[in-house]
Amino acid sequence: MAEERENKQGRVAETVTDLLQGGTVPEARRMLNALHPAEIANLLESFPAPERKLLWELVDEANGGDVLLQVNDEVRSGLIREMDDQELLAATSGMDMDDLADFMQDLPKTLTGEILRSLDNQNRQRLEAVLAYPEDSAGGLMNTDTVTVRPDVSLDVVLRYLRMRGEMPELTDHLFVVSRFDHFLGVLRVSDLLTRDPAGRVEDVLDTEAVAIPAETSDREVAKMFEDRDLISAPVLDARGRLIGRITIDDVVDVIREEAERSILSMAGLGEEEDLFAPIWSSTRRRAVWLGLNLLTALLAAYVIGLFEATIQQVVALAVLMPVVASMGGIAGTQTLALVIRALALGQIASRNTRALLYKELGIGVLNGLLWAGILAGIAILWFGRPALGAIIAAAMTINLVVAALSGVGVPLVLKRFGVDPALAGGVVLTTVTDVIGFMSFLGLATFFLL
Amino acid sequence: MAEERENKQGRVAETVTDLLQGGTVPEARRMLNALHPAEIANLLESFPAPERKLLWELVDEANGGDVLLQVNDEVRSGLIREMDDQELLAATSGMDMDDLADFMQDLPKTLTGEILRSLDNQNRQRLEAVLAYPEDSAGGLMNTDTVTVRPDVSLDVVLRYLRMRGEMPELTDHLFVVSRFDHFLGVLRVSDLLTRDPAGRVEDVLDTEAVAIPAETSDREVAKMFEDRDLISAPVLDARGRLIGRITIDDVVDVIREEAERSILSMAGLGEEEDLFAPIWSSTRRRAVWLGLNLLTALLAAYVIGLFEATIQQVVALAVLMPVVASMGGIAGTQTLALVIRALALGQIASRNTRALLYKELGIGVLNGLLWAGILAGIAILWFGRPALGAIIAAAMTINLVVAALSGVGVPLVLKRFGVDPALAGGVVLTTVTDVIGFMSFLGLATFFLL
């Protein structure tokens, strides 16, 4: 079915390309706009810049805003640069306030004033409320489309109010019960509204135990709450306990997905919103930073090898085998690192269990060290016919796998203490340690025992 | 706030440990069960096996089932082994049918029969419906708690039916409209039910365009649909278009989270459900497989170096510098690889754009190759005072970064064609290529030009 979807989008992509080359623009436009905005966004991301620009011009104005919200940050900035103020204003109309607040960060300053003026008083106040909080906090994530009711009315009154109101915001699974001063009292579940006696009063049905989220809460924390408690929407309160908005699951799912992508891409030193077809020049610059950092660590390892030039000159087999010791340490350390980074993200590591974790990983390091040291020693002896070389590589291998276990636990904990994201920097630091220790133990032991 | 949560769970963890050591069991039990089941699960995962067992005995029977559903697979099997049949039966009571279906996979065969017998006819049929589909398909993900209505009744009748029914399943944002033969016709949104004229008929309000998911759809595909279309719940249909269940967003969020964890852990050769405190012996065995695979690739690189033993003997500086060339290729290739793996997961790569992607990555490879080749050449000349060595390392570096770009695009595409998960095997294959090419180009050029 994943194949099917790819095929469907792929077919549209190919047909649209063919139609454009054949000059049949209206047909291409019809096919493109028949897709869901998220699918259009995905399709746009998959085209190189020139074709992407052509396709973007085919997207209907009615879809434009939704598509812009779905593409990744880098592609969005590219598309926005192609649009004039008129088109940008049209794209923002009808956006939710949380989306509009995010979107405005990408717009030229001149336009943000115009957008604020184009809103009615109520919406302007709402937008300003969202803009007052950081993008990655509950306040920045919230929307302001809350439906509120008072505690002292009957359910029947609520039902009549909703019918008069005519429609409900999407993803409404409960209404918010507030006092006359907007203080949050609890939620009235839609399911209760539908199943309880209409003559009953809101205050008899309202759930005062429902999760309410302070506006400063981080978006990761919000995501965890939604996940743990299976929420659809949750109220956001200011410091004084007043209802200022609500967060809905769709935005939380985006947070979860982005967080996952960030961890995967940041391990390779890439930004979370990297455009698949970013201009070569800017991609080169961004990646050069990571390569430069790695060059430094590689040169450090080279320096260590350089200390033993004389030894290598006498026993060249050392140069042949030394990368094996370093590489096995890197792999073993990365396994521990991945486990620890995940546990840190889940908040499962504290001083109470660090020691037990370290002992466990050291145990695994020693056992796997001995196992592969034995095998590698056998291979080295068969290959070079020098039993002493086998003994030395076995010792170096065991040392490096023990160090790898120590670093796999220690490096992320130390990085975290210094406020550095272990997912970003953990791999570089760890492999630097295992390279240096791998080369040093192997060549050092060889210098001592072989010469 | 993340800190706060950790602190809160951490405080509970430490207090509970203290209380247990002091023998104050009832107080420890009270504190533990005051947490949400998801928090209890997280806490259990963070304790080594002996303490975990003690804590698990403190968890109330009423929480037991929920906690078991929240811990990861490996921890769950461990806890289940500690429970007798009576306790296991108690834990399953009240589980949703989709959860029960998953859970039964972990239970001893003798018990599954007993559980089936303990269900009433309707629930047994429902459970069997879920068990008929693979765990990672829409059918395996679905629950059977659908509320259905007929198209020819009035909204008022629906409202009265719901009130009589008394409660609604969690996460109900719409009711399902079916024909007399259970054929799915569309959905009746709860918001329409609340805001439209009660005298109107269901068929005038029903949404026939709503997403309906065939039971064989893969869980990843289901997650993408929910994400793209901001769904809360969606109907699942069998091959004949009959309604057999519904999928809700809470289960989809779990799929998204698990998929993300799988990609991160599988890059280090770990299983998705690795227990932080798995027994040392079984962890050693599992990780040994990955280390053994890596030993093979490292030995391949060593073999390549071995071909140039004579060259290294004459110019030992080569042994010092060769890991730098290999390592930079690995880093550059991993950057391309991460980008391509993400794009493949999003279905953004097809034959129509592979060439453009390859050219872009090659361009970046050439530019970064030249940049770092120049810098590295300078360093090599300063270090060893041999201009020819600088020229050779610059050439090898450029070659390896171009090969890294080629492999970063090519390796995941080839792996995918052969049905291998690029996230699992991509890194190993890629670094093998960049190691071999790095050593071979550097040492080969040196043999040709320096000797």
Side-chain angles (χ1 to χ4, degrees):
Chain A
M1 185 73 188
E3 293 294 330
E4 244 172 63
R5 182 169 61 94
E6 280 171 34
N7 286 347
K8 181 191 154 201
Q9 277 188 34
R11 270 200 312 278
V12 173
E14 269 153 42
T15 320
V16 168
T17 321
D18 288 351
L19 287 170
L20 282 178
Q21 280 160 0
T24 327
V25 175
E27 178 62 9
R29 183 190 300 271
R30 195 193 55 72
M31 280 194 68
L32 189 64
N33 286 290
L35 294 175
H36 188 274
E39 291 169 343
I40 300 178
N42 199 26
L43 210 59
L44 284 174
E45 288 182 356
S46 80
F47 275 94
E51 286 96 326
R52 185 185 292 161
K53 197 176 143 190
L54 277 180
L55 274 186
W56 175 235
E57 279 163 15
L58 296 186
V59 175
D60 286 346
E61 206 168 80
N63 285 328
D66 285 337
V67 173
L68 278 178
L69 289 172
Q70 301 267 2
V71 292
N72 71 44
D73 287 353
E74 195 174 356
V75 173
R76 183 185 308 137
S77 330
L79 296 177
I80 286 176
R81 270 196 302 276
E82 304 288 333
M83 296 166 76
D84 61 31
D85 287 5
Q86 207 53 45
E87 290 169 325
L88 283 170
L89 273 180
T92 60
S93 73
M95 274 190 190
D96 287 345
M97 289 305 127
D98 56 341
D99 292 332
L100 185 54
D102 285 354
F103 190 69
M104 278 175 62
Q105 326 247 345
D106 291 327
L107 296 182
K109 276 274 171 294
T110 51
L111 210 57
T112 53
E114 193 158 343
I115 288 176
L116 279 172
R117 279 191 298 279
S118 76
L119 296 173
D120 60 30
N121 239 325
Q122 191 189 23
N123 273 331
R124 184 160 54 241
Q125 277 170 14
R126 287 172 165 182
L127 181 60
E128 281 163 352
V130 178
L131 285 171
Y133 294 96
E135 205 182 336
D136 60 353
S137 71
L141 212 57
M142 75 183 175
N143 202 344
T144 47
D145 56 354
T146 51
V147 180
T148 57
V149 294
R150 291 285 153 74
D152 51 1
V153 299
S154 71
L155 296 187
D156 195 45
V157 169
V158 175
L159 286 167
R160 274 186 285 135
Y161 162 67
L162 290 178
R163 237 164 254 148
M164 205 183 65
R165 202 174 179 281
E167 62 176 21
M168 301 227 291
E170 281 179 47
L171 308 179
T172 296
D173 62 331
H174 44 232
L175 312 180
F176 301 108
V177 185
V178 295
S179 75
R180 252 196 305 161
F181 309 104
D182 255 358
H183 272 271
F184 175 73
L185 303 174
V187 304
L188 170 62
R189 272 191 287 270
V190 165
S191 57
D192 285 332
L193 192 56
L194 284 171
T195 55
R196 298 298 191 93
D197 178 5
R201 281 150 63 100
V202 169
E203 57 200 353
D204 302 328
V205 184
L206 104 152
D207 179 2
T208 54
E209 297 289 299
V211 176
I213 301 177
E216 323 78 59
T217 313
S218 80
D219 56 357
R220 288 175 63 156
E221 183 58 14
V222 171
K224 199 80 190 96
M225 283 183 189
F226 269 70
E227 224 179 312
D228 282 351
R229 283 141 199 261
D230 298 346
L231 305 177
I232 297 298
S233 69
V236 178
L237 310 186
D238 69 8
R240 290 196 241 165
R242 285 179 310 201
L243 179 73
I244 54 174
R246 67 176 189 129
I247 296 177
T248 47
I249 182 77
D250 54 333
D251 294 321
V252 172
V253 168
D254 290 345
V255 169
I256 294 175
R257 177 69 79 176
E258 277 167 23
E259 201 190 310
E261 289 200 350
R262 183 165 44 223
S263 347
I264 292 175
L265 292 177
S266 75
M267 281 193 280
L270 299 174
E272 89 196 80
E273 293 278 356
E274 181 98 9
D275 173 6
L276 186 61
F277 287 104
I280 289 182
W281 189 241
S282 65
S283 283
T284 302
R285 264 202 329 242
R286 274 184 302 205
R287 295 198 203 168
V289 178
W290 192 247
L291 285 167
L293 180 67
N294 184 69
L295 182 61
L296 285 181
T297 75
L299 284 173
L300 180 62
Y303 170 77
V304 171
I305 300 172
L307 297 177
F308 300 96
E309 262 188 82
T311 311
I312 294 174
Q313 186 122 39
Q314 290 186 50
V315 189
V316 181
L318 295 176
V320 175
L321 292 174
M322 68 187 183
V324 178
V325 179
S327 146
M328 291 291 277
I331 296 287
T334 305
Q335 294 192 316
T336 303
L337 183 71
L339 199 69
V340 172
I341 287 178
R342 184 190 59 165
L344 276 177
L346 294 173
Q348 291 182 340
I349 295 186
S351 52
R352 76 188 147 81
N353 59 6
T354 311
R355 186 183 296 257
L357 182 63
L358 190 61
Y359 286 166
K360 175 207 152 207
E361 290 298 322
L362 280 176
I364 298 171
V366 169
L367 286 178
N368 260 320
L370 291 175
L371 170 67
W372 296 107
I375 291 173
L376 189 55
I379 293 172
I381 293 171
L382 285 176
W383 192 346
F384 295 97
R386 298 180 66 160
L389 190 61
I392 285 167
I393 203 168
M397 180 84 148
T398 311
I399 291 173
N400 208 21
L401 256 62
V402 168
V403 170
L406 270 171
S407 320
V409 176
V411 166
L413 291 178
V414 171
L415 287 175
K416 206 192 162 200
R417 175 138 322 165
F418 285 104
V420 181
D421 179 8
L424 176 64
V428 181
V429 176
L430 179 112
T431 51
T432 305
V433 173
T434 51
D435 276 359
V436 167
I437 299 294
F439 292 132
M440 195 174 280
S441 58
F442 183 49
L443 298 175
L445 287 172
T447 307
F448 199 79
F449 290 107
L450 278 190
L451 297 189
Chain B
M1 187 68 185
E3 294 295 327
E4 244 172 65
R5 181 170 60 94
E6 280 170 35
N7 287 348
K8 181 190 153 202
Q9 277 188 33
R11 270 200 311 277
V12 174
E14 269 153 42
T15 320
V16 168
T17 321
D18 288 351
L19 287 171
L20 282 178
Q21 279 159 358
T24 327
V25 176
E27 179 62 12
R29 182 191 301 271
R30 197 195 54 73
M31 281 195 70
L32 188 64
N33 287 289
L35 294 174
H36 188 273
E39 292 169 343
I40 301 178
N42 200 25
L43 208 59
L44 284 175
E45 288 182 356
S46 79
F47 275 93
E51 286 95 327
R52 186 184 292 158
K53 198 177 142 190
L54 278 180
L55 275 186
W56 175 235
E57 279 165 16
L58 297 186
V59 175
D60 286 346
E61 206 169 80
N63 284 328
D66 285 337
V67 172
L68 278 178
L69 289 172
Q70 301 268 2
V71 292
N72 71 44
D73 287 354
E74 197 174 351
V75 173
R76 182 185 308 136
S77 328
L79 295 178
I80 287 177
R81 270 196 302 276
E82 305 288 333
M83 297 167 75
D84 61 32
D85 287 6
Q86 207 52 43
E87 291 169 324
L88 283 170
L89 273 179
T92 60
S93 72
M95 275 190 189
D96 287 344
M97 288 305 129
D98 55 341
D99 292 332
L100 185 53
D102 285 354
F103 190 69
M104 278 174 62
Q105 328 246 345
D106 290 327
L107 297 183
K109 274 274 169 296
T110 51
L111 210 57
T112 54
E114 193 159 342
I115 288 176
L116 279 172
R117 277 191 298 279
S118 77
L119 296 172
D120 59 30
N121 240 323
Q122 193 190 21
N123 274 331
R124 185 160 54 241
Q125 277 171 17
R126 287 172 164 181
L127 181 61
E128 280 163 353
V130 178
L131 285 171
Y133 294 95
E135 205 183 336
D136 60 352
S137 71
L141 212 56
M142 75 184 177
N143 203 344
T144 47
D145 55 355
T146 52
V147 180
T148 57
V149 295
R150 292 285 152 75
D152 51 1
V153 300
S154 72
L155 296 188
D156 194 45
V157 169
V158 175
L159 285 168
R160 272 186 286 134
Y161 162 65
L162 290 178
R163 235 164 259 148
M164 205 183 65
R165 204 176 178 282
E167 62 176 19
M168 301 225 291
E170 280 179 48
L171 307 179
T172 296
D173 61 330
H174 44 232
L175 312 180
F176 301 108
V177 185
V178 294
S179 74
R180 251 196 305 157
F181 308 105
D182 255 359
H183 272 270
F184 175 73
L185 302 173
V187 303
L188 169 62
R189 272 191 286 271
V190 165
S191 57
D192 285 332
L193 192 56
L194 284 171
T195 55
R196 298 300 191 92
D197 178 6
R201 280 150 63 100
V202 169
E203 59 200 352
D204 302 327
V205 185
L206 104 152
D207 179 2
T208 54
E209 298 288 299
V211 176
I213 301 177
E216 322 78 59
T217 313
S218 80
D219 57 357
R220 288 175 63 154
E221 182 59 14
V222 170
K224 197 84 190 93
M225 283 183 190
F226 269 71
E227 227 179 309
D228 283 351
R229 283 140 199 262
D230 297 346
L231 304 177
I232 297 298
S233 69
V236 177
L237 310 186
D238 70 8
R240 292 195 237 167
R242 284 178 311 200
L243 179 74
I244 53 173
R246 68 178 189 128
I247 295 176
T248 47
I249 182 76
D250 54 334
D251 293 321
V252 171
V253 167
D254 290 344
V255 169
I256 294 174
R257 179 68 79 174
E258 277 167 23
E259 203 188 309
E261 288 200 351
R262 184 165 42 223
S263 346
I264 293 175
L265 293 178
S266 75
M267 283 192 280
L270 298 175
E272 86 195 85
E273 294 276 0
E274 181 97 10
D275 172 6
L276 186 62
F277 287 104
I280 290 182
W281 190 242
S282 66
S283 284
T284 302
R285 263 203 330 244
R286 274 183 304 206
R287 295 198 204 167
V289 178
W290 191 248
L291 285 166
L293 179 67
N294 183 69
L295 181 61
L296 284 180
T297 75
L299 285 174
L300 180 63
Y303 170 77
V304 171
I305 300 172
L307 297 176
F308 300 97
E309 262 187 81
T311 312
I312 294 173
Q313 183 121 42
Q314 291 186 48
V315 190
V316 180
L318 296 175
V320 176
L321 293 174
M322 67 186 186
V324 179
V325 179
S327 147
M328 291 291 276
I331 295 288
T334 304
Q335 294 191 316
T336 304
L337 183 71
L339 198 69
V340 171
I341 287 178
R342 186 191 56 164
L344 276 177
L346 294 173
Q348 290 181 340
I349 295 186
S351 52
R352 73 187 151 80
N353 60 7
T354 310
R355 187 182 297 255
L357 181 64
L358 191 61
Y359 286 167
K360 176 206 149 207
E361 290 297 323
L362 280 175
I364 298 171
V366 170
L367 286 177
N368 260 321
L370 292 174
L371 170 67
W372 295 108
I375 291 173
L376 189 54
I379 293 171
I381 294 169
L382 285 177
W383 191 346
F384 296 98
R386 299 179 65 161
L389 191 62
I392 285 169
I393 203 168
M397 180 85 147
T398 312
I399 291 172
N400 208 21
L401 257 60
V402 168
V403 170
L406 271 170
S407 320
V409 176
V411 165
L413 291 178
V414 171
L415 286 176
K416 205 192 163 202
R417 176 137 322 161
F418 284 104
V420 181
D421 179 9
L424 177 65
V428 181
V429 177
L430 179 113
T431 51
T432 305
V433 172
T434 51
D435 275 359
V436 166
I437 299 293
F439 291 132
M440 197 176 277
S441 57
F442 183 50
L443 298 175
L445 287 170
T447 307
F448 198 79
F449 289 107
L450 278 190
L451 296 192

